[in-house]
């Protein structure tokens, strides 16, 4: 493509992370032409050191990935979550979820981000409806009736009906479009690492709540688990600076010995924790998706799942519009997406915020109330199943992809 010429696409997606790549694949499979523009060289982000996180993918988003034919690529090393064990610190009272209670398969799937990225990159590289442009980014965006004109940092020019921003929490393009966000800081830092332990975890995820922040043990294959360990920023900084031996000693204090000897596998990452919500999802021939629209605390592992649910809804809206000969970038088209997703995203974000604040304190009456509350929920099957269905993402008006149907 010559820099002086403009190449036309149905959609331009800015942001080639896991949300951007998944959306590009979903749209392209349905005949929508996509330019995927990413700031960095995606190939360089496929190494093991780039991102040490693992995502808990809920049942409904897992169904979507299978329906799109992506699961065989991203889920090769996935570990099913068969049970979830929730406690307040080391209290003997707990809440236990078991896949057998619902009988529809695992509660979710644990997938390491490195496997997600490599599988999705493989998928988009093979799809003729996707043009990957990286490293590059949008430096100018102007819209007129029926079309948007984009100029990239490289000088390349693109036209499209719709620009979708999947740049994540710190999106420069969202700022350029004048969309404001509301954010709040939890004064917590998440330490992420992968550990090896002697005994089999049996597909059980553990979530322990401490005043300093939650501590999650998330099952991976081969007697490994992903750790999300939340601490106040200064303490997290100290822990991150420890030697391997000292780090493991601190880790064991939180982890315990129920899975035998445990050691981290060398690499550690840390992420400051905050939540944010965009004031609006739309601009002129422009919309937000994923963390660019909403970022939540990882307390229940729902952040990536919200992005996948966004993808399912937006894909259905845009495919329906294209089949009817509609304008993919019109406000009329995009308002359907916003109505479908914004309330759900806001409710979950605020719910996770309330849950974080409820558990991240050491006030005695509140501590006793949450311990008893966890136990009571576990003893009332209808209430327990209600929470399990929400965790699996199978509640509410679901887009077709989340139900296993083609769009």
């Amino acid at each position: 493509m010559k820099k002086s010429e403009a190449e036309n696409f149905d959609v331009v997606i800015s942001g080639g992370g896991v949300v951007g790549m998944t959306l590009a694949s979903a749209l392209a499979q349905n005949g929508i032409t996509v330019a995927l523009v990413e700031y960095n060289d995606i190939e360089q982000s496929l190494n093991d050191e780039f991102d040490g996180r693992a995502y808990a993918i809920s049942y409904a988003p897992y169904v979507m990935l299978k329906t799109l034919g992506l699961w065989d690529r991203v889920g090769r090393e996935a570990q099913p979550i068969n049970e979830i064990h929730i406690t307040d610190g080391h209290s003997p009272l707990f809440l236990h979820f078991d896949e057998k209670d619902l009988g529809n398969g695992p509660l979710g799937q644990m997938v390491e981000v490195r496997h997600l990225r490599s599988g999705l990159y493989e998928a988009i590289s093979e799809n003729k409806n996707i043009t990957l442009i990286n490293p590059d980014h949008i430096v100018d965006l102007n819209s007129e009736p029926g079309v948007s004109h984009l100029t990239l940092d490289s000088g390349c020019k693109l036209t499209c009906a719709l620009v979708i921003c999947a740049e994540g929490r710190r999106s420069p393009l969202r700022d350029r479009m004048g969309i404001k966000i509301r954010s709040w800081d939890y004064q917590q830092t998440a330490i992420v690492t992968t550990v090896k332990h002697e005994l089999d975890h049996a597909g059980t995820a553990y979530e322990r709540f401490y005043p300093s922040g939650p501590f999650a043990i998330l099952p991976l294959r081969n007697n490994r688990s992903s750790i999300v360990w939340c601490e106040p920023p200064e303490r997290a900084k100290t822990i991150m600076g420890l030697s391997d031996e000292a780090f493991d000693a601190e880790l064991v204090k939180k982890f315990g010995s129920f899975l035998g000897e445990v050691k981290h596998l060398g690499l550690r990452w840390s992420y400051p924790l905050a939540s944010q919500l965009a004031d609006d999802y739309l601009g002129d021939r422009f919309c937000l998706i994923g963390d660019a629209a909403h970022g939540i605390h990882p307390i229940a592992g729902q952040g990536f799942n919200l992005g996948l649910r966004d993808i399912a809804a937006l894909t259905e809206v845009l495919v329906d519009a294209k089949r009817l000969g509609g304008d993919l970038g019109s406000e009329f088209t995009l308002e359907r997406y916003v109505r479908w997703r914004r309330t759900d995203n806001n409710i979950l974000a605020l719910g996770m915020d309330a849950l974080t604040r409820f558990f991240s304190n050491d006030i005695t009456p509140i501590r006793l109330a949450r311990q008893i509350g966890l136990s009571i929920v576990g003893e009332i099957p209808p209430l327990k199943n209600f929470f399990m269905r929400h965790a699996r993402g199978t509640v509410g008006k679901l887009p077709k992809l989340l139900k296993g149907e083609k769009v």
Side-chain angles (χ1 to χ4, degrees):
M1 177 173 55
K2 295 180 180 179
K3 292 185 179 181
S4 60
E5 299 175 349
E7 186 169 352
N8 184 60
F9 298 89
D10 291 325
V11 167
V12 172
I13 301 172
S14 182
V18 290
V19 168
M21 286 193 284
T22 305
L23 176 62
S25 183
L27 295 176
Q29 287 185 36
N30 287 281
I32 293 176
T33 59
V34 178
L36 181 61
V37 182
E38 164 56 30
Y39 285 79
N40 304 304
D41 185 339
I42 294 181
E43 286 193 9
Q44 293 183 4
S45 71
L46 303 180
N47 60 69
D48 292 354
E49 291 77 23
F50 181 78
D51 192 328
R53 293 173 296 176
Y55 288 147
I57 298 178
S58 300
Y59 178 77
Y62 154 75
V63 168
M64 179 184 83
L65 293 172
K66 282 184 68 75
T67 304
L68 291 170
L70 295 174
W71 186 251
D72 289 342
R73 297 179 186 270
V74 304
R76 295 167 184 160
E77 298 296 323
Q79 166 63 52
I81 301 174
N82 302 319
E83 301 177 50
I84 301 174
H85 195 277
I86 303 169
T87 58
D88 185 65
H90 294 285
S91 167
L93 302 176
F94 62 89
L95 176 60
H96 176 243
F97 294 142
D98 191 322
E99 63 167 332
K100 297 173 185 175
D101 293 337
L102 292 180
N104 293 322
L107 299 170
Q109 301 276 348
M110 286 301 305
V111 181
E112 294 168 80
V113 172
R114 60 194 177 106
H115 296 314
L116 273 170
R117 295 185 68 86
S118 60
L120 290 169
Y121 180 70
E122 180 184 283
I124 65 170
S125 298
E126 295 175 5
N127 194 305
K128 61 181 177 58
N129 284 333
I130 300 174
T131 299
L132 177 61
I133 304 173
N134 73 135
D136 214 338
H137 61 276
I138 298 168
V139 294
D140 191 50
L141 192 165
N142 292 290
S143 297
E144 61 184 57
V147 65
S148 283
H149 300 272
L150 285 67
T151 302
L152 306 186
D153 185 59
S154 63
C156 290
K157 296 184 183 299
L158 311 175
T159 61
C160 62
L162 172 65
V163 177
I164 302 172
C165 178
E167 294 182 347
R169 291 182 180 230
R170 298 173 182 168
S171 167
L173 189 57
R174 179 190 61 214
D175 295 343
R176 174 184 287 272
M177 295 298 292
I179 298 177
K180 304 296 184 183
I181 60 167
R182 287 168 289 165
S183 62
W184 51 100
D185 191 330
Y186 291 108
Q187 290 301 304
Q188 292 178 355
T189 295
I191 300 168
V192 175
T193 191
T194 299
V195 301
K196 181 82 173 178
H197 37 75
E198 284 185 289
L199 304 179
D200 182 13
H201 48 52
T204 302
Y206 298 86
E207 183 93 34
R208 297 173 183 164
F209 294 105
Y210 296 95
S212 58
F215 181 85
I217 304 170
L218 307 169
L220 301 174
R221 282 194 175 189
N222 304 317
N223 278 21
R224 295 178 305 133
S225 292
S226 175
I227 301 300
V228 182
W229 176 3
C230 301
E231 294 283 358
E234 284 304 313
R235 175 163 170 73
K237 183 178 179 180
T238 300
I239 293 171
M240 286 293 292
L242 295 174
S243 67
D244 286 347
E245 292 76 12
F247 182 86
D248 283 337
E250 287 298 316
L251 175 68
V252 168
K253 292 178 184 177
K254 291 269 185 165
F255 195 106
S257 59
F258 72 106
L259 291 179
E261 184 180 3
V262 59
K263 291 185 177 180
H264 80 290
L265 295 178
L267 296 175
R268 319 169 199 166
W269 295 263
S270 65
Y271 305 92
L273 298 181
S275 285
Q276 65 181 47
L277 292 171
D279 285 347
D280 201 349
Y281 282 21
L282 302 182
D284 193 8
R285 300 197 162 275
F286 179 88
C287 75
L288 301 177
I289 195 169
D291 281 359
H294 46 75
I296 67 174
H297 193 287
I299 190 169
Q302 289 298 309
F304 182 47
N305 288 297
L306 281 185
L308 291 173
R309 283 147 68 174
D310 288 350
I311 290 168
L314 185 56
T315 298
E316 187 166 330
V317 166
L318 295 181
V319 171
D320 285 350
K322 186 173 179 66
R323 285 175 181 159
L324 294 171
D327 181 352
L328 273 61
S330 74
E331 187 175 357
F332 175 79
T333 298
L334 297 174
E335 277 293 344
R336 183 182 168 208
Y337 159 65
V338 175
R339 288 195 304 270
W340 209 337
R341 293 301 308 142
R342 187 170 184 176
T343 299
D344 179 45
N345 289 334
N346 287 356
I347 288 174
L348 190 59
L350 296 174
M352 292 303 100
D353 177 70
L355 195 63
T356 300
R357 297 180 190 280
F358 182 61
F359 279 98
S360 296
N361 67 74
D362 201 26
I363 301 171
T364 300
I366 296 178
R367 185 177 70 248
L368 293 174
R370 65 194 182 215
Q371 290 175 2
I372 295 170
L374 287 174
S375 179
I376 289 174
V377 170
E379 295 301 320
I380 304 175
L383 185 58
K384 181 176 167 182
N385 289 345
F386 170 80
F387 284 113
M388 289 177 66
R389 287 194 297 272
H390 271 275
R392 285 163 57 94
T394 56
V395 175
K397 181 187 177 185
L398 299 182
K400 292 178 182 177
L401 285 171
L402 294 178
K403 296 186 289 185
E405 302 171 8
K406 299 284 188 180
V407 292

